[in-house]
Amino acid sequence: MGFTLAAALRHLGELAQVEVAELVPAVVSWNHGPLGKCAGQPLQDPRVSVHHVDVAHLLTNAEQAYDAILLDVDNGPEGLTRKHNDWLYSIDGLTEACTALRPGGVLAVWSAGPDSNFSQRLLKTGFKVDEICVRAHGSKGPRHTLWFARCSR
């Protein structure tokens, strides 16, 4: 909904390029309209390009194209919003993500909760994994899980 993008842009330099994959055109429209105001209009940033595609399309055959891949797609590493999203968190999807990262690149995945099976899949596909638990909205919100994974290949 724009908040992850806005947070990333605050930490990136002016030469950074950010590609956003959004499958639902209405979400992009909302972010150009009233929802964008809530996040500080991140889609208007000149460093951002929006692709109306499934994120899997950007990852497939993208050899060493990205320094970082941030997946904030579902409520965690399972296809909650679309069953097809299961591919992103599968061995095949994670292998594609690893291939798409440049040396030293990071795959970051947000989840509403922990998932030990996902951590194991990351390890099996050649990632070195840091799994952390954080509270939303500082110290009072619900606990979320973040995975930061570096491809060791």
Side-chain angles (χ1 to χ4, degrees):
M1 295 298 179
F3 297 106
T4 300
L5 174 59
L9 290 169
R10 284 193 296 273
H11 295 282
L12 295 172
E14 63 184 54
L15 297 178
Q17 296 177 352
V18 179
E19 294 185 37
V20 174
E22 178 51 61
L23 189 61
V24 181
V27 172
V28 176
S29 295
W30 298 334
N31 275 278
H32 281 297
L35 191 56
K37 292 176 188 174
C38 297
Q41 301 293 357
L43 293 185
Q44 293 179 7
D45 191 298
R47 299 172 290 176
V48 175
S49 59
V50 178
H51 304 275
H52 295 275
V53 297
D54 188 322
V55 68
H57 178 77
L58 292 182
L59 294 180
T60 305
N61 301 315
E63 191 167 338
Q64 295 188 2
Y66 302 105
D67 293 313
I69 299 168
L70 285 67
L71 293 179
D72 185 0
V73 177
D74 295 289
N75 277 351
E78 63 183 54
L80 179 67
T81 57
R82 282 182 6 139
K83 193 67 178 158
H84 179 72
N85 286 354
D86 282 339
W87 179 86
L88 289 172
Y89 313 108
S90 71
I91 295 293
D92 290 341
L94 294 172
T95 299
E96 287 290 333
C98 186
T99 300
L101 287 168
R102 292 185 182 108
V106 174
L107 170 66
V109 180
W110 173 87
S111 177
D115 185 327
S116 61
N117 291 328
F118 182 60
S119 296
Q120 292 304 310
R121 286 193 304 276
L122 284 165
L123 292 169
K124 285 180 185 176
T125 52
F127 283 99
K128 293 181 181 177
V129 182
D130 288 314
E131 180 180 338
I132 61 171
C133 182
V134 296
R135 287 203 179 266
H137 311 293
S139 62
K140 296 183 181 183
R143 295 180 189 273
H144 294 178
T145 301
L146 299 171
W147 288 271
F148 295 98
R150 289 189 189 276
C151 189
S152 58
R153 292 189 241 164

